[in-house]
Every structure is written in C-alpha cells, then in structure tokens.
Amino acid sequence: KAGVTQTPRYLIKTRGQQVTLSCSPISGHRSVSWYQQTPGQGLQFLFEYFSETQRNKGNFPGRFSGRQFSNSRSEMNVSTLELGDSALYLCASRVGGAANTEAFFGQGTRLTVV
Amino acid sequence: GENVEQHPSTLSVQEGDSAVIKCTYSDSASNYFPWYKQELGKRPQLIIDIRSNVGEKKDQRIAVTLNKTAKHFSLHITETQPEDSAVYFCAAGNAGGTSYGKLTFGQGTILTVHP
C-alpha cells in the first residue's frame, strides 16, 4: 500500500511569489491535515480537510489556504511568500476523521524562500 | 486552545540507559496522546499512543504514562540503542470534540544514544 506522497520534495521561491504544495493521502483515507515544521517550534497545525470540507484551521494568516478534492488529494497554497515561511510542510492522512486514529505523515515539502 | 510543553529539548544517554521525556498539556478536554519519532530527514512516525481512559501503556521497550489530574504524560524508553537516536514529539488531541483531527505538538526532544 502506497504511503502519503507529497510533491514536490523541495522548492525554492522568491519573496512575494506564491506556491502550491500537493499531498496524496493513503488510498481510502479521507482526512488530510497540514503542519508547518520549523526548528525549535515543533509541528504547527495549519488546517484539516475531511471529505472536501475544511473542518479546522490553525493560527496562520490568510495567505495560507488549502483545499481537498473528491479523490481526497489535498493542496495548500501560500501567497505573497515571506522569508519566515521557509519550513518543512508536512501533511498527514487518516482513514477516519477523529483525532484518536493514527495519522500517517508524508515526507514533507521543504520550502525555502529567498 | 490547547498548548503542549515538552521537556527536555535535548537528551543524551549511554546505550543501555533509560530515557524519559515529559509533556504537559493545558486543555482538560484532550483525550488522545500520541508520540511520534522522526529520524533525520525522514517523516514522523507513530511509536505509541495512549487514550485518557488508560493510565499506562507498554510496547516492548517503550512505555507511556498519563496523569490526567496533573495533565502530563511521559515517554519511557528502556535499554536504549543507538537506533533510538531521533527527535521525539508528543502531541495531544480531542477525539469527539470540535477540534476534529487536529493534533497539538510539543516542541520536540532530540535524543542521542551514545554507543
């Protein structure tokens, strides 16, 4: 069974640009969550999608947005990039929607903003 | 919202020793507490979890304890091996609340096991 796949693995963007990251969950998983990982900050929750609906959003500015498609694949978009957006972006999928089921993480997309 | 504090930020032990990582949480509604291990350059992977109706859970060399009254939970690794070297994250979630699938993570502990 294929794991959670994130593309691209690495990105370098310039301040002010926008970027779209993609996450393909494990087949049959309907919940996709996104996290930002930076050194010393752990994993910060961005948002969660379940059956194409955003159910929860973390404390990030409106420049961060996302969506989920009918096949459960999810994308997140960051507009007007800032240097501080440089981070590893991880997505995680679950078979169900509850927090107490195992979340399987992708390998992440490393975004560098210059 | 939920806040999770994790200590220590770094932990260095000799092979064969035990390692303990502690986390505290703020939201009494949290009822699910997973621990993730992230090796260098790899994805976080679940190593053990505990639900609020259980005080302790063990899986071979790894155990987790939960004190709901004090709102803290701990990861215990016995007979550590060099391959246990990684970053460990604790997290808290609320199954059944309006947080849905959200997990709040601690800041991580870098564990180094010296041969």
Side-chain angles (χ1 to χ4, degrees):
Chain A
K1 200 173 191 182
V4 179
T5 304
Q6 292 189 245
T7 56
R9 291 290 311 279
Y10 303 93
L11 266 179
I12 300 176
K13 290 286 188 179
T14 305
R15 274 180 300 174
Q17 287 187 313
Q18 75 166 16
V19 67
T20 299
L21 313 181
S22 179
C23 173
S24 292
I26 292 172
S27 178
H29 286 197
R30 297 165 64 191
S31 166
V32 174
S33 298
W34 287 89
Y35 293 85
Q36 180 194 67
Q37 184 176 18
T38 53
Q41 291 295 314
L43 283 74
Q44 302 288 315
F45 175 78
L46 282 155
F47 25 65
E48 185 216 0
Y49 289 88
F50 183 82
S51 294
E52 301 179 66
T53 300
Q54 184 184 88
R55 300 198 301 178
N56 209 340
K57 191 176 193 301
N59 197 20
F60 279 82
R63 300 185 296 106
F64 291 81
S65 63
R67 59 179 175 169
Q68 186 180 33
F69 302 94
S70 58
N71 62 357
S72 293
R73 189 178 71 84
S74 178
E75 289 181 346
M76 68 164 280
N77 184 277
V78 188
S79 62
T80 320
L81 284 165
E82 300 177 0
L83 295 178
D85 296 333
S86 294
L88 179 67
Y89 290 88
L90 292 162
C91 74
S93 75
R94 287 189 175 88
V95 62
N100 62 351
T101 53
E102 182 175 354
F104 293 85
F105 281 87
Q107 289 202 296
T109 294
R110 173 76 60 185
L111 172 64
T112 303
V113 182
V114 297
Chain B
E2 174 66 280
N3 184 52
V4 177
E5 296 288 332
Q6 183 173 345
H7 298 280
S9 55
T10 61
L11 180 58
S12 183
V13 300
Q14 289 297 127
E15 183 176 1
D17 287 350
S18 294
V20 180
I21 303 170
K22 299 181 179 182
C23 289
T24 60
Y25 61 99
S26 61
D27 188 351
S28 57
S30 290
N31 52 26
Y32 176 65
F33 307 93
W35 286 87
Y36 282 84
K37 175 184 180 182
Q38 186 177 28
E39 296 177 23
L40 191 61
K42 297 193 175 180
R43 69 190 75 196
Q45 291 192 298
L46 180 72
I47 55 171
I48 196 166
D49 58 12
I50 191 167
R51 289 164 174 75
S52 59
N53 59 345
V54 176
E56 184 174 359
K57 183 177 179 180
K58 191 172 181 180
D59 182 4
Q60 298 183 335
R61 296 186 298 109
I62 294 173
V64 58
T65 58
L66 171 65
N67 184 326
K68 285 190 296 182
T69 303
K71 289 193 220 153
H72 69 68
F73 56 113
S74 301
L75 177 70
H76 305 254
I77 305 174
T78 58
E79 300 171 21
T80 53
Q81 301 166 4
E83 50 266 38
D84 293 330
S85 297
V87 182
Y88 291 80
F89 292 97
C90 63
N94 178 1
T98 55
S99 296
Y100 300 107
K102 175 184 177 181
L103 292 175
T104 302
F105 283 83
Q107 296 87 344
T109 296
I110 302 172
L111 173 63
T112 304
V113 181
H114 299 280

